[in-house]
Amino acid sequence: MKVGIPKEIHIGECRVAATPETAKRLGEKLGFDVVVESGAGLAASFPDALYEEAGCSVAADVSEVWNTADVVLKVRPPEAAEVEQLRDGQVLIGFLSPAQNETLLNQIAAKGASAIAMEAVPRISRAQKLDALSSMANIAGYRAVVEAASLFGRFFTGQITAAGKVPPAKVLVIGAGVAGLAAIGTARGLGAIVRAFDVRPEVADQVKSMGAEFLMLQFDSNEAGGTSGGYAKTMSKEFIDAEMALFLAQAKEVDIILTTALIPGKPAPKLITKEMVEAMRPGSVVVDLASEQGGNCEVTVPGEVTNHDGVHIIGYTDFASRLAHTSSQLYGNNLYHLLDEIGGKENFELDMEDVVLRSCTVVKNGEVTWPPPPVSVSAAAPKKDQIAPAEPAAVVEKKFGLFDAALLILAVALLLAIASTRDTGFITDFTVFVLACIVGWQVIWNVTAALHTPLMSVTNAISGIIIVGGMVQVGVSDSPAAILGAIAIFVATINIAGGFLVTHRMLKMFRRG
C-alpha cells in the first residue's frame, strides 16, 4: 500500500504533508511505501535528498504520485486539476473545509474516492494527537505576535534607560482558544501587558495562569458562550452590544489587538469595527487571524498588510505557512497518528463505528458522510443539579492484632526489667529514648508513602533534634551512651542529606532550561 505526498500548488503555501522524519516512520512503523513529488518539501527546507535518505521514492512527475498512491496526503484542499486525478478507492487526507466546500465533497464522491478532513477531528482526549487544527492554530498564534512585533514601533517589554523610559506594550487577545493562548504566551514572554477576552468564561483560569488579565463583561445574563463541541458560539444581540462597548474602550488603551474568533462552518464574526480602529493610537497594530474566513476586523484585507488611519492591519491568511518547517513537522505527526489510528498498512480500514474516524471521514467510497453525529466535548462545568453525589471515602480500619499484643507485652516486660535496676539516670535516658521512638513511629512511619516528600522538611527537623540529642550523649562518660549518640548522629545526618538532595531535585523540575 502506497502513500503519496504531492507538492502544494496553492499560491504561497510552503508546508508539506510529510517531512523526511514522519515519512520514515510511515514506512518503518506502519509499513507504507511512500512516494514524494520532487520539490514537495523544498519550501519548508526539506530537500529531496532527505526524503531519499528516509527511504522514500521521489517522483519527478506529480501524476506518478496521484496514479500510484492509495492514500494521498495534502495540506490545502485540492484544486480542480487535483480532483480530476482522484480515482475510485483512493483516500484523500488534508484540510478540506467540509462545511464550506459542499461542491468539493460531491466532486470527490463522484470519483468514487474517500476523503478525511483534518479540521473535523473531534476535540476529545483520545484524538488530541490527531488534532491538526490545534497544531496549526498554536503556530499561527505565535507567528501573529512575531508579525505584530515587526510592525510595532516600540519594545514589547518596558525599559528604563539613561536615555529615557519606554512603557511596555499593551496587547489585547480576543478569543482564548489554542491560537489565542499561544499568542498570550508569546506576548507575555516578550514582556507585554496582556489582556484577553472570550465568550466562554471557563477559559478564564487558563488565561490567568499564563499571566494575562481576563476581561469580564458587566452583563446580567446567564448566557453560555461555549458549544458542546468545545468552540465559541454566536451570542445574543444584547451580549454582542456589551461586547462591542468593551472592545471600543479597550481599543483606546491598548497598542496591539489580535483577533482569533472563528465559528466552524460560518464566516468570521466582525468584532473590530472601523470606529474601533480609528480610536487606536497611530502606530498601533491589529492582527486578524480569521482573515481567511473574512476577518474579524471590518477593514481587514485578506492576504495583505494595510494601514488605516495610522493603524497597521495584518490580514495574512498563511500564518502557519510562515513557519513552514515546524508546521510541516507537526502536521506530519498528526497525519502519522491518523494513519496509525486507521490501522496502518496491514489493517487499513475507515471504521465508521470509531467516533474519531466517523467524525473526520467526510466522504467514503463515493458517498458523502458529512456532517457527522455531534460529539460532546464541552469544557464547561456541569450544572449543580447535574453533579453526581460524591462517593463516601473508603475508611481503612486498623485492627489490634496478635503481633501488636506481643510487642506491647515485650515492651512492658522490658520496662519492668529496666525499672528493677533502680539506676535513676539510665531509667531517665531510656524513657526518653522509648518515647522518641514512639513519637517518631507515629509521625513518620504511618504517613502515606506519597506524602513522604512533602513532609521532608518535618523529617529533617526531627533528624536535627536527634543530632542535638546525640551530641549531648557523645559528651557523657558512659561508653554505651556515647556510642549510641554517635550512631544517632550518623544516621540522622544521612537522613538530612537525603532530604536536601530530594528537595533539590524537586525544585530543579520546576526551573526552566
Side-chain angles (χ1 to χ4, degrees):
M1 196 170 190
K2 186 172 290 188
V3 171
I5 317 295
K7 182 178 180 180
E8 297 296 319
I9 61 177
H10 186 276
I11 298 175
E13 181 57 67
C14 299
R15 290 171 292 178
V16 62
T19 67
E21 190 271 328
T22 61
K24 184 177 182 180
R25 284 194 288 147
L26 288 175
E28 292 183 351
K29 296 186 177 181
L30 300 185
F32 292 106
D33 297 321
V34 182
V35 56
V36 182
E37 181 186 356
S38 179
L42 201 57
S45 302
F46 297 115
D48 293 343
L50 293 180
Y51 286 101
E52 291 174 341
E53 291 175 8
C56 304
S57 302
V58 176
D61 190 353
V62 65
S63 61
E64 181 181 342
V65 176
W66 288 95
N67 293 337
T68 62
D70 301 289
V71 180
V72 178
L73 306 181
K74 277 186 55 61
V75 179
R76 292 275 186 170
E79 305 283 349
E82 294 175 313
V83 174
E84 286 300 318
Q85 298 189 71
L86 282 170
R87 65 177 191 277
D88 185 54
Q90 201 170 38
V91 179
L92 173 68
I93 303 176
F95 287 110
L96 303 177
S97 301
Q100 292 90 19
N101 280 341
E102 182 180 354
T103 301
L104 174 62
L105 301 187
N106 291 328
Q107 290 173 344
I108 295 173
K111 291 289 184 176
S114 300
I116 295 177
M118 292 303 295
E119 58 267 81
V121 171
R123 288 187 165 177
I124 59 178
S125 297
R126 183 166 69 86
Q128 286 182 350
K129 58 187 177 182
L130 319 178
D131 192 355
L133 204 60
S134 293
S135 298
M136 299 301 102
N138 181 33
I139 294 172
Y142 167 84
R143 184 69 189 194
V145 176
V146 174
E147 295 290 346
S150 69
L151 290 177
F152 187 54
R154 293 204 321 262
F155 299 125
F156 264 53
T157 185
Q159 291 194 14
I160 299 177
T161 69
K165 179 180 178 181
V166 180
K170 293 181 180 179
V171 178
L172 171 63
V173 178
I174 300 177
V178 177
L181 292 174
I184 290 170
T186 306
R188 285 288 300 144
L190 291 174
I193 297 173
V194 184
R195 304 166 183 174
F197 174 82
D198 198 289
V199 297
R200 299 163 293 180
E202 59 265 24
V203 304
D205 289 338
Q206 299 177 44
V207 170
K208 293 175 183 176
S209 70
M210 301 186 73
E213 176 189 357
F214 187 76
L215 301 177
M216 296 291 292
L217 276 181
Q218 301 301 319
F219 184 72
D220 186 17
S221 173
N222 294 322
E223 189 173 4
T227 67
S228 62
Y231 295 92
K233 72 173 187 181
T234 303
M235 307 300 287
S236 66
K237 183 181 184 303
E238 292 78 9
F239 188 97
I240 293 174
D241 289 342
E243 183 182 57
M244 290 301 197
L246 173 67
F247 294 160
L248 178 59
Q250 290 295 316
K252 298 174 182 178
E253 297 182 20
V254 301
D255 304 298
I256 297 170
I257 297 179
L258 295 103
T259 65
T260 69
L262 271 177
I263 299 173
K266 297 182 179 180
K270 299 298 180 185
L271 303 178
I272 304 299
T273 63
K274 182 179 179 181
E275 178 188 3
M276 296 176 194
V277 174
E278 293 172 351
M280 298 180 74
R281 288 185 291 268
S284 299
V285 182
V286 175
V287 187
D288 194 340
L289 276 81
S291 56
E292 192 166 10
Q293 300 298 329
N296 295 138
C297 179
E298 280 187 348
V299 295
T300 295
V301 178
E304 297 182 16
V305 177
T306 56
N307 190 293
H308 181 85
D309 200 30
V311 177
H312 302 287
I313 314 294
I314 300 177
Y316 293 142
T317 59
D318 58 349
F319 286 103
S321 181
R322 289 170 178 266
L323 282 175
H325 191 91
T326 301
S327 298
S328 299
Q329 183 63 44
L330 296 183
Y331 183 59
N333 285 335
N334 294 140
L335 292 176
Y336 165 80
H337 289 302
L338 174 64
L339 291 174
D340 186 30
E341 186 79 15
I342 293 174
K345 178 182 178 180
E346 297 299 325
N347 303 296
F348 191 91
E349 180 185 2
L350 296 180
D351 182 7
M352 301 301 274
E353 297 299 320
D354 185 315
V355 64
V356 175
L357 297 181
R358 174 64 189 90
S359 295
C360 58
T361 301
V362 295
V363 181
K364 184 179 181 184
N365 298 329
E367 179 183 353
V368 176
T369 58
W370 175 267
V375 179
S376 180
V377 296
S378 177
K383 296 180 180 178
K384 291 184 178 180
D385 57 357
Q386 294 178 341
I387 299 177
E391 293 292 334
V395 178
V396 179
E397 183 181 354
K398 293 186 178 181
K399 295 183 178 180
F400 189 78
L402 183 61
F403 179 72
D404 296 310
L407 285 178
L408 180 61
I409 294 171
L410 180 62
V412 171
L414 186 59
L415 287 174
L416 291 174
I418 292 171
S420 65
T421 63
R422 299 185 179 182
D423 186 339
T424 305
F426 180 70
I427 291 174
T428 301
D429 289 343
F430 189 80
T431 301
V432 173
F433 173 73
V434 171
L435 290 175
C437 289
I438 294 173
V439 171
W441 177 280
Q442 294 298 324
V443 172
I444 303 300
W445 193 259
N446 283 337
V447 174
T448 304
L451 297 178
H452 278 170
T453 302
L455 289 175
M456 195 62 68
S457 59
V458 178
T459 62
N460 281 350
I462 295 174
S463 298
I465 296 173
I466 293 173
I467 287 179
V468 172
M471 293 173 65
V472 172
Q473 294 300 322
V474 167
V476 302
S477 57
D478 191 1
S479 296
I483 293 173
L484 288 174
I487 294 173
I489 292 172
F490 176 71
V491 175
T493 302
I494 293 175
N495 190 42
I496 292 177
F500 278 114
L501 179 62
V502 172
T503 303
H504 176 72
R505 293 181 65 180
M506 284 186 62
L507 293 174
K508 193 175 181 180
M509 293 170 60
F510 295 96
R511 293 195 185 107
R512 289 187 177 181

